[in-house]
PDB file of all heavy atoms in Angstrom:
ATOM      1  N   GLY A   1       8.616  -9.044   1.580  1.00 97.00           N
ATOM      2  CA  GLY A   1      10.041  -9.032   1.228  1.00 97.00           C
ATOM      3  C   GLY A   1      10.719  -7.777   1.712  1.00 97.00           C
ATOM      4  O   GLY A   1      10.040  -6.720   1.803  1.00 97.00           O
ATOM      5  N   ASN A   2      11.993  -7.804   1.968  1.00 97.00           N
ATOM      6  CA  ASN A   2      12.667  -6.683   2.543  1.00 97.00           C
ATOM      7  C   ASN A   2      12.589  -5.436   1.644  1.00 97.00           C
ATOM      8  O   ASN A   2      12.483  -4.309   2.185  1.00 97.00           O
ATOM      9  CB  ASN A   2      14.165  -7.009   2.783  1.00 97.00           C
ATOM     10  CG  ASN A   2      14.302  -7.948   3.946  1.00 97.00           C
ATOM     11  OD1 ASN A   2      13.474  -7.984   4.850  1.00 97.00           O
ATOM     12  ND2 ASN A   2      15.381  -8.722   3.963  1.00 97.00           N
ATOM     13  N   SER A   3      12.596  -5.629   0.325  1.00 97.00           N
ATOM     14  CA  SER A   3      12.643  -4.415  -0.549  1.00 97.00           C
ATOM     15  C   SER A   3      11.339  -3.723  -0.596  1.00 97.00           C
ATOM     16  O   SER A   3      11.267  -2.639  -1.175  1.00 97.00           O
ATOM     17  CB  SER A   3      13.100  -4.950  -1.964  1.00 97.00           C
ATOM     18  OG  SER A   3      12.132  -5.844  -2.487  1.00 97.00           O
ATOM     19  N   VAL A   4      10.228  -4.305  -0.153  1.00 98.00           N
ATOM     20  CA  VAL A   4       8.955  -3.669  -0.244  1.00 98.00           C
ATOM     21  C   VAL A   4       8.321  -3.333   1.118  1.00 98.00           C
ATOM     22  O   VAL A   4       7.244  -2.702   1.133  1.00 98.00           O
ATOM     23  CB  VAL A   4       7.925  -4.562  -1.050  1.00 98.00           C
ATOM     24  CG1 VAL A   4       8.513  -4.949  -2.359  1.00 98.00           C
ATOM     25  CG2 VAL A   4       7.537  -5.774  -0.257  1.00 98.00           C
ATOM     26  N   LYS A   5       8.952  -3.683   2.212  1.00 97.00           N
ATOM     27  CA  LYS A   5       8.409  -3.402   3.497  1.00 97.00           C
ATOM     28  C   LYS A   5       8.238  -1.913   3.675  1.00 97.00           C
ATOM     29  O   LYS A   5       9.101  -1.082   3.342  1.00 97.00           O
ATOM     30  CB  LYS A   5       9.381  -3.870   4.560  1.00 97.00           C
ATOM     31  CG  LYS A   5       9.312  -5.390   4.816  1.00 97.00           C
ATOM     32  CD  LYS A   5      10.262  -5.872   5.935  1.00 97.00           C
ATOM     33  CE  LYS A   5      10.209  -7.317   6.113  1.00 97.00           C
ATOM     34  NZ  LYS A   5      11.178  -7.815   7.149  1.00 97.00           N
ATOM     35  N   GLY A   6       7.085  -1.570   4.198  1.00 97.00           N
ATOM     36  CA  GLY A   6       6.754  -0.154   4.430  1.00 97.00           C
ATOM     37  C   GLY A   6       6.178   0.570   3.222  1.00 97.00           C
ATOM     38  O   GLY A   6       5.664   1.678   3.338  1.00 97.00           O
ATOM     39  N   ARG A   7       6.218  -0.048   2.059  1.00 98.00           N
ATOM     40  CA  ARG A   7       5.668   0.549   0.828  1.00 98.00           C
ATOM     41  C   ARG A   7       4.445  -0.282   0.271  1.00 98.00           C
ATOM     42  O   ARG A   7       3.554   0.282  -0.276  1.00 98.00           O
ATOM     43  CB  ARG A   7       6.729   0.623  -0.228  1.00 98.00           C
ATOM     44  CG  ARG A   7       7.920   1.465   0.121  1.00 98.00           C
ATOM     45  CD  ARG A   7       8.823   1.713  -1.058  1.00 98.00           C
ATOM     46  NE  ARG A   7       9.421   0.460  -1.558  1.00 98.00           N
ATOM     47  CZ  ARG A   7       9.290   0.017  -2.830  1.00 98.00           C
ATOM     48  NH1 ARG A   7       8.597   0.734  -3.710  1.00 98.00           N
ATOM     49  NH2 ARG A   7       9.860  -1.113  -3.214  1.00 98.00           N
ATOM     50  N   PHE A   8       4.548  -1.580   0.405  1.00 98.00           N
ATOM     51  CA  PHE A   8       3.485  -2.445  -0.099  1.00 98.00           C
ATOM     52  C   PHE A   8       2.650  -3.014   1.043  1.00 98.00           C
ATOM     53  O   PHE A   8       3.159  -3.279   2.107  1.00 98.00           O
ATOM     54  CB  PHE A   8       4.072  -3.587  -0.885  1.00 98.00           C
ATOM     55  CG  PHE A   8       4.734  -3.243  -2.184  1.00 98.00           C
ATOM     56  CD1 PHE A   8       5.016  -1.910  -2.524  1.00 98.00           C
ATOM     57  CD2 PHE A   8       5.118  -4.239  -3.095  1.00 98.00           C
ATOM     58  CE1 PHE A   8       5.605  -1.593  -3.736  1.00 98.00           C
ATOM     59  CE2 PHE A   8       5.743  -3.920  -4.270  1.00 98.00           C
ATOM     60  CZ  PHE A   8       5.980  -2.609  -4.628  1.00 98.00           C
ATOM     61  N   THR A   9       1.352  -3.238   0.754  1.00 97.00           N
ATOM     62  CA  THR A   9       0.460  -3.859   1.707  1.00 97.00           C
ATOM     63  C   THR A   9      -0.377  -4.916   1.080  1.00 97.00           C
ATOM     64  O   THR A   9      -1.058  -4.649   0.030  1.00 97.00           O
ATOM     65  CB  THR A   9      -0.459  -2.792   2.340  1.00 97.00           C
ATOM     66  OG1 THR A   9       0.316  -1.759   2.970  1.00 97.00           O
ATOM     67  CG2 THR A   9      -1.357  -3.417   3.393  1.00 97.00           C
ATOM     68  N   ILE A  10      -0.358  -6.093   1.627  1.00 96.00           N
ATOM     69  CA  ILE A  10      -1.205  -7.181   1.134  1.00 96.00           C
ATOM     70  C   ILE A  10      -2.443  -7.262   2.031  1.00 96.00           C
ATOM     71  O   ILE A  10      -2.342  -7.126   3.231  1.00 96.00           O
ATOM     72  CB  ILE A  10      -0.442  -8.514   1.042  1.00 96.00           C
ATOM     73  CG1 ILE A  10      -1.235  -9.553   0.348  1.00 96.00           C
ATOM     74  CG2 ILE A  10       0.003  -8.951   2.458  1.00 96.00           C
ATOM     75  CD1 ILE A  10      -0.456 -10.927   0.079  1.00 96.00           C
ATOM     76  N   SER A  11      -3.542  -7.509   1.392  1.00 94.00           N
ATOM     77  CA  SER A  11      -4.801  -7.682   2.153  1.00 94.00           C
ATOM     78  C   SER A  11      -5.718  -8.669   1.384  1.00 94.00           C
ATOM     79  O   SER A  11      -5.423  -8.995   0.249  1.00 94.00           O
ATOM     80  CB  SER A  11      -5.514  -6.295   2.330  1.00 94.00           C
ATOM     81  OG  SER A  11      -5.817  -5.767   1.057  1.00 94.00           O
ATOM     82  N   ARG A  12      -6.797  -9.057   2.042  1.00 89.00           N
ATOM     83  CA  ARG A  12      -7.743  -9.981   1.353  1.00 89.00           C
ATOM     84  C   ARG A  12      -9.157  -9.682   1.713  1.00 89.00           C
ATOM     85  O   ARG A  12      -9.472  -9.067   2.714  1.00 89.00           O
ATOM     86  CB  ARG A  12      -7.354 -11.420   1.751  1.00 89.00           C
ATOM     87  CG  ARG A  12      -7.988 -11.988   3.006  1.00 89.00           C
ATOM     88  CD  ARG A  12      -7.302 -11.582   4.158  1.00 89.00           C
ATOM     89  NE  ARG A  12      -7.646 -12.391   5.334  1.00 89.00           N
ATOM     90  CZ  ARG A  12      -7.994 -11.844   6.504  1.00 89.00           C
ATOM     91  NH1 ARG A  12      -8.059 -10.554   6.668  1.00 89.00           N
ATOM     92  NH2 ARG A  12      -8.307 -12.638   7.528  1.00 89.00           N
ATOM     93  N   ASP A  13     -10.011 -10.064   0.822  1.00 88.00           N
ATOM     94  CA  ASP A  13     -11.464  -9.976   0.968  1.00 88.00           C
ATOM     95  C   ASP A  13     -11.989 -11.337   0.800  1.00 88.00           C
ATOM     96  O   ASP A  13     -12.162 -11.802  -0.355  1.00 88.00           O
ATOM     97  CB  ASP A  13     -12.035  -8.977  -0.028  1.00 88.00           C
ATOM     98  CG  ASP A  13     -13.512  -8.754   0.194  1.00 88.00           C
ATOM     99  OD1 ASP A  13     -14.215  -9.667   0.764  1.00 88.00           O
ATOM    100  OD2 ASP A  13     -14.043  -7.683  -0.223  1.00 88.00           O
ATOM    101  N   ASN A  14     -12.247 -12.031   1.872  1.00 82.00           N
ATOM    102  CA  ASN A  14     -12.697 -13.429   1.822  1.00 82.00           C
ATOM    103  C   ASN A  14     -14.037 -13.586   1.045  1.00 82.00           C
ATOM    104  O   ASN A  14     -14.197 -14.563   0.296  1.00 82.00           O
ATOM    105  CB  ASN A  14     -12.865 -13.969   3.220  1.00 82.00           C
ATOM    106  CG  ASN A  14     -11.535 -14.201   3.935  1.00 82.00           C
ATOM    107  OD1 ASN A  14     -10.490 -14.081   3.296  1.00 82.00           O
ATOM    108  ND2 ASN A  14     -11.605 -14.485   5.186  1.00 82.00           N
ATOM    109  N   ALA A  15     -14.887 -12.621   1.191  1.00 85.00           N
ATOM    110  CA  ALA A  15     -16.165 -12.741   0.532  1.00 85.00           C
ATOM    111  C   ALA A  15     -16.073 -12.645  -0.993  1.00 85.00           C
ATOM    112  O   ALA A  15     -16.888 -13.188  -1.699  1.00 85.00           O
ATOM    113  CB  ALA A  15     -17.097 -11.644   1.008  1.00 85.00           C
ATOM    114  N   LYS A  16     -14.987 -12.056  -1.430  1.00 88.00           N
ATOM    115  CA  LYS A  16     -14.793 -11.897  -2.920  1.00 88.00           C
ATOM    116  C   LYS A  16     -13.684 -12.842  -3.447  1.00 88.00           C
ATOM    117  O   LYS A  16     -13.320 -12.746  -4.600  1.00 88.00           O
ATOM    118  CB  LYS A  16     -14.444 -10.496  -3.250  1.00 88.00           C
ATOM    119  CG  LYS A  16     -15.549  -9.479  -2.921  1.00 88.00           C
ATOM    120  CD  LYS A  16     -15.141  -8.040  -3.344  1.00 88.00           C
ATOM    121  CE  LYS A  16     -16.265  -7.042  -3.048  1.00 88.00           C
ATOM    122  NZ  LYS A  16     -15.892  -5.688  -3.400  1.00 88.00           N
ATOM    123  N   ASN A  17     -13.134 -13.658  -2.581  1.00 88.00           N
ATOM    124  CA  ASN A  17     -12.059 -14.586  -3.005  1.00 88.00           C
ATOM    125  C   ASN A  17     -10.939 -13.799  -3.592  1.00 88.00           C
ATOM    126  O   ASN A  17     -10.331 -14.246  -4.603  1.00 88.00           O
ATOM    127  CB  ASN A  17     -12.579 -15.640  -4.006  1.00 88.00           C
ATOM    128  CG  ASN A  17     -13.687 -16.477  -3.476  1.00 88.00           C
ATOM    129  OD1 ASN A  17     -13.796 -16.704  -2.264  1.00 88.00           O
ATOM    130  ND2 ASN A  17     -14.503 -16.991  -4.358  1.00 88.00           N
ATOM    131  N   THR A  18     -10.608 -12.652  -3.075  1.00 92.00           N
ATOM    132  CA  THR A  18      -9.686 -11.768  -3.695  1.00 92.00           C
ATOM    133  C   THR A  18      -8.603 -11.349  -2.738  1.00 92.00           C
ATOM    134  O   THR A  18      -8.894 -11.111  -1.542  1.00 92.00           O
ATOM    135  CB  THR A  18     -10.394 -10.502  -4.226  1.00 92.00           C
ATOM    136  OG1 THR A  18     -11.335 -10.918  -5.237  1.00 92.00           O
ATOM    137  CG2 THR A  18      -9.433  -9.523  -4.815  1.00 92.00           C
ATOM    138  N   VAL A  19      -7.371 -11.248  -3.247  1.00 94.00           N
ATOM    139  CA  VAL A  19      -6.300 -10.736  -2.473  1.00 94.00           C
ATOM    140  C   VAL A  19      -5.730  -9.496  -3.252  1.00 94.00           C
ATOM    141  O   VAL A  19      -5.718  -9.533  -4.470  1.00 94.00           O
ATOM    142  CB  VAL A  19      -5.171 -11.759  -2.228  1.00 94.00           C
ATOM    143  CG1 VAL A  19      -4.563 -12.271  -3.545  1.00 94.00           C
ATOM    144  CG2 VAL A  19      -4.107 -11.241  -1.356  1.00 94.00           C
ATOM    145  N   TYR A  20      -5.351  -8.525  -2.516  1.00 96.00           N
ATOM    146  CA  TYR A  20      -4.865  -7.277  -3.084  1.00 96.00           C
ATOM    147  C   TYR A  20      -3.422  -7.038  -2.754  1.00 96.00           C
ATOM    148  O   TYR A  20      -2.927  -7.492  -1.691  1.00 96.00           O
ATOM    149  CB  TYR A  20      -5.694  -6.085  -2.598  1.00 96.00           C
ATOM    150  CG  TYR A  20      -7.199  -6.241  -2.897  1.00 96.00           C
ATOM    151  CD1 TYR A  20      -8.054  -6.717  -1.919  1.00 96.00           C
ATOM    152  CD2 TYR A  20      -7.705  -5.817  -4.059  1.00 96.00           C
ATOM    153  CE1 TYR A  20      -9.384  -6.850  -2.104  1.00 96.00           C
ATOM    154  CE2 TYR A  20      -9.068  -5.902  -4.305  1.00 96.00           C
ATOM    155  CZ  TYR A  20      -9.907  -6.391  -3.347  1.00 96.00           C
ATOM    156  OH  TYR A  20     -11.246  -6.536  -3.604  1.00 96.00           O
ATOM    157  N   LEU A  21      -2.759  -6.302  -3.560  1.00 98.00           N
ATOM    158  CA  LEU A  21      -1.408  -5.763  -3.259  1.00 98.00           C
ATOM    159  C   LEU A  21      -1.393  -4.276  -3.552  1.00 98.00           C
ATOM    160  O   LEU A  21      -1.408  -3.885  -4.698  1.00 98.00           O
ATOM    161  CB  LEU A  21      -0.320  -6.479  -4.056  1.00 98.00           C
ATOM    162  CG  LEU A  21       1.111  -6.101  -3.698  1.00 98.00           C
ATOM    163  CD1 LEU A  21       1.423  -6.576  -2.289  1.00 98.00           C
ATOM    164  CD2 LEU A  21       2.085  -6.606  -4.745  1.00 98.00           C
ATOM    165  N   GLN A  22      -1.438  -3.483  -2.474  1.00 98.00           N
ATOM    166  CA  GLN A  22      -1.356  -2.051  -2.622  1.00 98.00           C
ATOM    167  C   GLN A  22       0.130  -1.683  -2.688  1.00 98.00           C
ATOM    168  O   GLN A  22       0.859  -1.972  -1.706  1.00 98.00           O
ATOM    169  CB  GLN A  22      -2.022  -1.378  -1.449  1.00 98.00           C
ATOM    170  CG  GLN A  22      -1.987   0.154  -1.478  1.00 98.00           C
ATOM    171  CD  GLN A  22      -2.746   0.763  -2.644  1.00 98.00           C
ATOM    172  OE1 GLN A  22      -3.830   0.355  -2.965  1.00 98.00           O
ATOM    173  NE2 GLN A  22      -2.119   1.768  -3.254  1.00 98.00           N
ATOM    174  N   MET A  23       0.507  -1.068  -3.742  1.00 98.00           N
ATOM    175  CA  MET A  23       1.906  -0.665  -3.883  1.00 98.00           C
ATOM    176  C   MET A  23       2.082   0.840  -3.972  1.00 98.00           C
ATOM    177  O   MET A  23       1.490   1.502  -4.854  1.00 98.00           O
ATOM    178  CB  MET A  23       2.460  -1.263  -5.224  1.00 98.00           C
ATOM    179  CG  MET A  23       2.278  -2.773  -5.330  1.00 98.00           C
ATOM    180  SD  MET A  23       3.022  -3.522  -6.733  1.00 98.00           S
ATOM    181  CE  MET A  23       2.062  -2.766  -8.075  1.00 98.00           C
ATOM    182  N   ASN A  24       2.713   1.399  -2.966  1.00 98.00           N
ATOM    183  CA  ASN A  24       2.930   2.794  -2.859  1.00 98.00           C
ATOM    184  C   ASN A  24       4.399   3.163  -3.094  1.00 98.00           C
ATOM    185  O   ASN A  24       5.253   2.313  -2.956  1.00 98.00           O
ATOM    186  CB  ASN A  24       2.443   3.335  -1.518  1.00 98.00           C
ATOM    187  CG  ASN A  24       0.943   3.137  -1.290  1.00 98.00           C
ATOM    188  OD1 ASN A  24       0.163   3.155  -2.246  1.00 98.00           O
ATOM    189  ND2 ASN A  24       0.614   2.906  -0.056  1.00 98.00           N
ATOM    190  N   SER A  25       4.653   4.426  -3.385  1.00 98.00           N
ATOM    191  CA  SER A  25       6.046   4.915  -3.540  1.00 98.00           C
ATOM    192  C   SER A  25       6.825   4.010  -4.494  1.00 98.00           C
ATOM    193  O   SER A  25       7.929   3.589  -4.151  1.00 98.00           O
ATOM    194  CB  SER A  25       6.730   5.030  -2.171  1.00 98.00           C
ATOM    195  OG  SER A  25       6.010   5.874  -1.325  1.00 98.00           O
ATOM    196  N   LEU A  26       6.258   3.724  -5.616  1.00 98.00           N
ATOM    197  CA  LEU A  26       6.875   2.770  -6.507  1.00 98.00           C
ATOM    198  C   LEU A  26       8.180   3.322  -7.030  1.00 98.00           C
ATOM    199  O   LEU A  26       8.361   4.565  -7.240  1.00 98.00           O
ATOM    200  CB  LEU A  26       5.917   2.479  -7.673  1.00 98.00           C
ATOM    201  CG  LEU A  26       4.795   1.475  -7.322  1.00 98.00           C
ATOM    202  CD1 LEU A  26       3.677   1.593  -8.347  1.00 98.00           C
ATOM    203  CD2 LEU A  26       5.376   0.070  -7.256  1.00 98.00           C
ATOM    204  N   LYS A  27       9.112   2.408  -7.276  1.00 98.00           N
ATOM    205  CA  LYS A  27      10.469   2.686  -7.791  1.00 98.00           C
ATOM    206  C   LYS A  27      10.653   1.982  -9.042  1.00 98.00           C
ATOM    207  O   LYS A  27      10.083   0.940  -9.312  1.00 98.00           O
ATOM    208  CB  LYS A  27      11.506   2.237  -6.723  1.00 98.00           C
ATOM    209  CG  LYS A  27      11.332   2.790  -5.362  1.00 98.00           C
ATOM    210  CD  LYS A  27      12.357   2.227  -4.415  1.00 98.00           C
ATOM    211  CE  LYS A  27      12.199   2.782  -2.968  1.00 98.00           C
ATOM    212  NZ  LYS A  27      13.126   2.153  -2.019  1.00 98.00           N
ATOM    213  N   PRO A  28      11.583   2.481  -9.903  1.00 98.00           N
ATOM    214  CA  PRO A  28      11.892   1.778 -11.170  1.00 98.00           C
ATOM    215  C   PRO A  28      12.311   0.296 -10.925  1.00 98.00           C
ATOM    216  O   PRO A  28      11.963  -0.561 -11.735  1.00 98.00           O
ATOM    217  CB  PRO A  28      13.056   2.575 -11.724  1.00 98.00           C
ATOM    218  CG  PRO A  28      12.792   3.964 -11.226  1.00 98.00           C
ATOM    219  CD  PRO A  28      12.280   3.763  -9.824  1.00 98.00           C
TER     220      PRO A  28
END
């Protein structure tokens, strides 16, 4: 989404059936 570009990163670990959302520079 436009509001999170450059701050959030989505990734996945197939072996663990897991998806992550790394959120940096969080804002209110």
Side-chain angles (χ1 to χ4, degrees):
N2 288 335
S3 62
V4 306
K5 283 181 181 177
R7 299 188 298 123
F8 291 11
T9 303
I10 188 171
S11 61
R12 86 280 196 229
D13 185 334
N14 290 349
K16 297 181 178 179
N17 300 334
T18 298
V19 62
Y20 303 95
L21 184 68
Q22 177 67 42
M23 305 187 295
N24 297 330
S25 302
L26 282 162
K27 304 174 181 180

